[in-house]
Amino acid sequence: QHYYITNNLRNIMGVQILELSPDPQQSKKIFRAPTGDIVCLDRSPELRGILLDITCVNPVGEQIPLKCEKEKAMFTLKSAGPYKVTWKMCVKPSDKNRNSVYVVTVLADPVITNSTDLTTLPSLKVDQIAAQSHLTKCCGDIENWEDVFRVSLESGYNTVHLTPVQELGVSRSSYSLHSHLKLSSSLKLNSSGGYEEDLKVLSDHLQDLHQKTGMFFLTDVVWNHVSVCNRDILEHPESYYNLHNTPNLIPAYLIDRSIREFSFTLSDSSEITNLHSFYKRLSNHLVETSRKLEELYKIDAGKMFNSKESTTDSLDESLLKRSHIDDVVKQLWQVDYSQSEYGGRVDMGVLRTFLSNREITSIPEQNSQIVTAISLFNEFVAPAAAQDVISKVTTAVVGDVKYRFIDENGPKHQFGDVPLVERYFQISDISFDEEKELDIYDRLDAERIKTCNGWTTGESISDMSKTMAYTKREIVIWGDSIKLRFGNSRQDAPWLWNYMEKYTCDMAKLFHGFRIDNCHNTALHVGEELLRAARRVRPNLYVVAELFTGCEDKDREIINRMGISSCVRELSKSGSPRQLADLIHHYGESKPCGSFINNLPSDQAVNSLPTLSMASSHPHAMLMDQTHDNPCPFDEHPLPNVLALSGLMCAAKCSIGSNRGYDELIPHHIHVVQEERQYQGVRQSHEDAIKPAKRALIKLHQWLEDNGYSETFVDQATEDVVIVTRHHPVTCSKVLVVIATCWSDTFTKTSEHTVNLPGDKVDVLLETEIRGKGSFNPHKELITGLCGVEVNVRENPESSNMVKVSRSEEKLELSFVLSPGCVVATLVHPGKSAQHALNYFNSYVLDKHTFAMELDIVCSSLDLYDLNYILYRCDEEERVDGCGGVYDIPGYGKLTYAGLVGFLHVLEEVKRENNMGHALCRNLCDGWWQAEYSVNRLKNKDINLGFFLEKVFSSLQAVPNHTRPRVFDAVISSVYSACLRQIDTLIPWLSNTERETNSWFVEQLVLTSIQMMGKVGDTGIPVSPYVKDPVVSMAAGLPHFSHGFMRCWGRDTFISLPGLLIATGRLEDARDLVVGFARTLRYGLIPNLLSERGHKPRYNCRDAVWWWCRSVKLLYDHLPSILQEPVYRLYNTDDTPVAAKSSFVCTVLDIINEVLRRHAAGIQFREENAGRQLDEHLLDAGFNMCAGVNHMTGFVRGGSKHNCGTWMDKVGSSLRAGNKGIPATPRDGSAIELVAMGYQTVSWLADLFEIGVGTTSEVTMTTGTSTRVVTLREWSKMIKDSFDEMFWSTSGYYKDTVGSESGCDEKFRPNQTFAMVIAPELFEESHLTLALRNIGAKLAGLLGMSTLCPGDEDYEPQYDTSDNGSNFRTAHGLNYHQGPEWVWCMGFYLRAKLSEFIKQDREEVVGSKEEIDQFFATILTFHRAMIAAEPYRGLTELTNGGGQHCPGSCPTQAWSSACLLEFFVEYQRDFLQSPQ
């Protein structure tokens, strides 16, 4: 969405707008921005106006100050890493399901440099990194490093990644460190000052290498384990996992020991080759262990209950037998592993819930069932759980043995040379016989049993107290490494924390970045704290990690918490070209082609449209053709594919990397444990292999990044050919990188692939291919690769061997001649017409001054009815006028509106996630139909804007197809902004509104006035002689009430008129509606429904005329002449038909006088055309109408139990449920809001008479045959004297009606708030205060007011017109007004509360002005959210109970917005502008 930021920010490059939202999913998203950018924290609509408590913690854990401006908060990304923004609402909304504290993280991408000054050269941005991994032990001593690393430099890399530089353990694994605080002796640092001096020597050497080569350096950090030979750790047993501090490992140890014992029973390899026999023998051997586990798992019921609670009652045994064992354990069962037996525990709370869900609800019954359940656990679950573990263990061991000794792809160890399986636990200096004598429940013995670390792609093993992975043998174990235990905080293992922090900071001093080994098994709080320490040393630390959680949400959590710059992703592990293309699409597409969100180099930046909010992104990747800790790619790929993988990698927009040996075509795995030979240096390396090709490909990768080719599209053109297109967002030139993969024998010969695309000129940037198989001569001391492989590299060739170009006007046909594994890159320039169109777009449309100024001139002639047509008009409105309906997007469906708002709503969805694959974007890329539709609509109505846009889109016709969504959005967004500026000039109240907390929301409400008021041909409003046809009419709601007799409702119109028309200054429109409906007066009433220009109205409501009177009174305050407006009556008398040419002319004031006179005399009639043809559901008696005045109280009264005369007008229609023809809410007698409006009208006319404006001072009240004359002042006094006494209920609210014969007097409804606002002087102050408190507690919902108190026997909050059931109260939606929450009522409730606040002493009774402001802002939280998200851009008619969506509700209802606008008028006038 477009959110306009302040002028002083709009021109700053590098401003990132992050919209805070209470959406709980936001914390799971990744938001990235370059270091140095400013982040502006904006708010989603529902948060506008609410006080927020916002804090921000920088990457080193320090809270940073926020620069606040109005409702925005800003901070600068001064260094790399995670900026954690935490916020909460100072006043919480009433939605219980929302969290009170929210977190969103901004990741600042590092700029790698040797200085804290980001402009220092050389420096690298993350997408410029091209790293090559080296095993440190194979690099030789540091004097040899320059020679070794220059091979990387000459291959195009700018970064060297080294495995740990520490002294290695006995296994010689590159990741099993003897000590983290001792550098490797193989480096030959030749210092005599110990560790600190060694650090300085290595630091100086790396600095010297950086100065000579310009290369940057990364290293692995190893936090999770240490070598088994490390003696320091033995002095701190709390720092590693053992059976004492983690007793849940005891079962795993017992199993591990039993397997070790079993291995001694095997005599030769024949006993393992028969896997079926081996499985059976192992399973039998583990029986004793299974029994131990069973005893451990059992529960001692006596510890939980005394014997008196035992019972013979039985729990359904089949329940436990049928349940999956894992589910039972996870839900109900806990185990205390420190016990040798009966360690089982039951979570009593969960078990009680488990039982109550099966309708076992009483506590005694539950207790007896629990005791029974425990015995069943012991009988069924404990043995089954133990057997389940043993079964999984046996399967895992057999699989491990098969891989180690039998599989062709495994290491094929010889039996007896290595242990049967790696042990999960290590005990130093002890024999196996001695080990069996250890007491695992003795502290000292338990601490000797150290847990080995391992690797898993599934369940994290960062916290060993919460995993069963060791017990079930699900770990790829590293028997040479001890798993370290940091605990929950530094206090749990202070020595280890200090040790690792020292190590981490030392490495941060030496290296520009880290690769976190085994990151997904690193405890989050550990990674967070250690990286904070490292970033204090090196603020722009680059952090890359291997993350294999198997869950992207978990990946995102780790990335955000630790601030990981890039995740390692490996191409050579892909199993097909499709998987390759998917990887590039997922991780190598920073922004899709035609993206709405551009990251342009500063010299190409366009100061254009309002800044877009930040879009979330996929995890950033370091995409590698091969990593150093996986097998050689030759094991799975033909030789040509090695080059193809590199080509794909270098075409991606992300960090890239490879393993030393890949480019030299080493045909075997350079093993991190077993390899001891040395890499070749430049003086020894004589075979180029694919190094020249890699250098050219990396050069291409850098060129694409440096020159702003920031948009990416990936296409698997054929089974073997993948094309990665990199687009320039400004020039729209594109680079096609065509890669011919070679997965198998399906593609072994040269073939041709043709691409057709628009363009004028083609430059071939690179051609490279690989031929021959080569030969391998291994060297004893050096790591060498294949010899004799031919690799051809041609950069910027004058003539191409692999690309044939055919031109036709501005269209190109590129024929690529492809050999297996080849890579071709071509630069395609747009044609001249496309360039002209792009220049026009960039220099004119995106020029916010010139284009906006011309648009303002064009729009200056538009009136509000033109703007209704330009912005809105639903499908039915369009079709009635013969316009063909709204635009229908293939694959998406019809838009909500034919006007611009219909398109903009969908574009906001697209832009929020930068979703260029959306159906709207595809439709635009296929053709300019959306633009043509919009232009033709306006031209058909002869609106100048249409002719202007025709010229604009004509000039943009030739822009490249993929840019059309961006171009279309830029144009119509600018037009929309110009329309808003024109509305500002036409509705002065809007431009003068307090533009602070509520300005955006008020603007949206005001726009519903434009939305609802339009010229629709079949409107029912009778045309006055001075009003042009078609008449302007107000829709009750869209799209449900858009045309015909359903468009103009007397009641809805005059409830909405004060807010939509008077408040917005549309006085002439208000006058026309007042006069138009006045023409239809009959029986002393105005109709609720009109059709055929008032010729067939229905006078079936008692309230519409009073809402009309109220509107006249409010309009009189702004337009006093309204009372003298001529009214050309349609009906000369009640009984005459519509006059063909009315000769009965009176004034609006005469109409009001007649309304009072007729009510005082009493009204009785039967509806014209009564019967099924008029209303198929109403009973015959329901067509009999009556209204009048109670002569004792002066209250307006009327109606019967057979009909509904107020807004609560639902009549039943279900024969099955028996409610057909039955009114749900008759509200007969004196309805409270009608009494208030009657009082208001009578009092007003009395005032008018006294100042000489009114013409009537008295009425004649008739009862039966008696009559009496009453002055208007006496009448108003009768009402006031009787009101509180008659309507007040001792239950603490005002009754809904008085004198009802249908029994509805005592109903607790929101209608009392209408009366409180309309005639507050009728209410006793203490009663009003109490009533408002109860209304707020019992009726106020999230968006609307409950139409009936939840405690009422008739309360049914779920409205569903499709309910065909037999429930009388709900069938066919009879409960329309019996619990569902209506939004328009909220406006009156807020006005009543506002009046109460203003009357009271704010400091002592209510609170400060700021607190009151927050009260209203919080209540309107969900209204702001709805109007922003609703495709119809309005507030809904109603919701079901609790604010739940009601499918049958009209999406935007006139009175829902209008009543809130009335509230804001009073809020600004009486509250914001009043003194404190």
Side-chain angles (χ1 to χ4, degrees), residues 1155-1206:
V1155 169
L1156 295 185
R1157 187 172 64 251
R1158 294 295 301 270
H1159 277 78
I1163 300 168
Q1164 282 193 333
F1165 64 95
R1166 182 172 174 82
E1167 280 198 82
E1168 195 172 12
N1169 299 316
R1172 293 192 63 183
Q1173 68 277 9
L1174 185 63
D1175 190 323
E1176 64 175 319
H1177 303 304
L1178 199 63
L1179 299 178
D1180 185 72
F1183 295 105
N1184 299 324
M1185 301 296 162
C1186 66
V1189 175
N1190 183 309
H1191 292 189
M1192 301 297 295
T1193 62
F1195 294 172
V1196 174
R1197 61 178 176 80
S1200 73
K1201 65 180 181 179
H1202 302 296
N1203 54 37
C1204 302
T1206 72

Side-chain angles (χ1 to χ4, degrees), residues 1054-1068:
F1054 294 105
I1055 290 174
S1056 304
L1057 185 144
L1060 293 190
L1061 300 184
I1062 298 176
T1064 59
R1066 303 183 65 171
L1067 303 183
E1068 290 186 1

Side-chain angles (χ1 to χ4, degrees), residues 1376-1402:
Y1376 200 26
H1377 307 97
Q1378 298 280 57
E1381 298 168 6
W1382 285 68
V1383 178
W1384 75 279
C1385 305
M1386 181 61 76
F1388 280 94
Y1389 168 66
L1390 295 181
R1391 292 174 68 189
K1393 289 294 293 184
L1394 180 64
S1395 297
E1396 181 193 29
F1397 288 156
I1398 291 171
K1399 286 179 183 177
Q1400 299 178 16
D1401 184 310
R1402 298 189 188 96

Side-chain angles (χ1 to χ4, degrees), residues 660-679:
R660 179 65 191 271
Y662 185 92
D663 302 339
E664 295 152 281
L665 301 178
I666 309 296
H668 59 80
H669 184 200
I670 304 175
H671 205 283
V672 295
V673 178
Q674 299 163 5
E675 188 61 75
E676 294 292 341
R677 295 174 299 164
Q678 304 294 291
Y679 296 122

Side-chain angles (χ1 to χ4, degrees), residues 764-1015:
V764 178
L765 302 179
L766 173 64
E767 298 176 345
T768 180
E769 57 186 335
I770 185 169
R771 298 184 183 278
K773 295 184 178 180
S775 60
F776 179 55
N777 297 309
H779 194 283
K780 290 183 178 180
E781 297 178 356
L782 298 175
I783 302 173
T784 58
L786 297 181
C787 301
V789 176
E790 179 185 352
V791 177
N792 298 318
V793 180
R794 294 178 291 278
E795 297 183 77
N796 304 305
E798 293 184 5
S799 61
S800 172
N801 298 329
M802 302 175 71
V803 185
K804 299 174 184 177
V805 181
S806 300
R807 294 178 177 83
S808 176
E809 296 179 351
E810 293 189 6
K811 295 181 180 179
L812 298 171
E813 181 179 275
L814 306 184
S815 295
F816 295 94
V817 181
L818 305 174
S819 60
C822 73
V823 181
V824 187
T826 59
L827 172 61
V828 179
H829 302 272
K832 291 182 179 179
S833 60
Q835 291 181 35
H836 288 315
L838 288 167
N839 289 336
Y840 177 84
F841 177 67
N842 292 325
S843 62
Y844 175 61
V845 175
L846 293 186
D847 186 325
K848 67 179 182 180
H849 300 295
T850 305
F851 190 51
M853 189 162 42
E854 293 195 19
L855 274 171
D856 286 345
I857 294 171
V858 174
C859 292
S860 62
S861 62
L862 300 174
D863 60 28
L864 293 174
Y865 319 125
D866 294 329
L867 289 161
N868 166 265
Y869 188 81
I870 292 167
L871 298 178
Y872 300 105
R873 299 258 293 185
C874 70
D875 191 62
E876 293 82 355
E877 290 175 300
E878 286 284 287
R879 293 187 183 279
V880 163
D881 285 351
C883 298
V886 299
Y887 192 86
D888 191 342
I889 300 174
Y892 178 84
K894 291 183 177 182
L895 299 180
T896 52
Y897 293 117
L900 300 183
V901 172
F903 293 97
L904 286 169
H905 166 73
V906 184
L907 281 165
E908 286 170 4
E909 288 181 20
V910 173
K911 290 185 289 187
R912 194 173 294 119
E913 297 299 330
N914 210 19
N915 179 12
M916 300 308 299
H918 192 279
L920 177 139
C921 296
R922 294 198 304 270
N923 184 243
L924 279 166
C925 291
D926 290 341
W928 275 114
W929 304 300
Q930 294 178 41
E932 292 167 0
Y933 170 88
S934 299
V935 166
N936 290 334
R937 275 190 78 245
L938 302 183
K939 286 174 60 182
N940 290 340
K941 291 292 183 180
D942 206 28
I943 296 175
N944 286 335
L945 179 61
F947 298 97
F948 175 80
L949 289 179
E950 184 178 38
K951 294 178 182 178
V952 171
F953 282 119
S954 176
S955 300
L956 295 169
Q957 195 74 24
V959 296
N961 294 4
H962 73 275
T963 67
R964 285 178 185 165
R966 181 164 65 206
V967 170
F968 181 72
D969 171 61
V971 173
I972 69 166
S973 293
S974 297
V975 174
Y976 179 72
S977 298
C979 290
L980 291 184
R981 291 192 292 273
Q982 176 64 1
I983 292 171
D984 276 354
T985 65
L986 296 173
I987 303 181
W989 180 79
L990 175 60
S991 58
N992 295 330
T993 301
E994 179 75 21
R995 285 189 173 274
E996 290 291 340
T997 57
N998 296 303
S999 61
W1000 175 86
F1001 183 46
V1002 171
E1003 180 180 85
Q1004 298 303 306
L1005 294 175
V1006 168
L1007 288 177
T1008 60
S1009 171
I1010 316 294
Q1011 182 187 106
M1012 296 295 173
M1013 289 292 293
K1015 298 177 180 180

Side-chain angles (χ1 to χ4, degrees), residues 366 382 488 566 938 990 1109 1111 1194 1281 1338 1370 1410 1423:
Q366 283 187 9
N488 294 321
S566 306
L938 302 183
L990 175 60
C1109 290
S1111 294
D1281 290 346
K1338 298 181 180 180
T1370 60
E1410 185 179 75
H1423 299 78

Side-chain angles (χ1 to χ4, degrees), residues 61-73:
E62 300 168 345
Q63 185 170 325
I64 59 176
L66 299 174
K67 180 182 178 183
C68 297
E69 183 175 324
K70 296 184 178 178
E71 287 203 328
K72 298 176 176 65

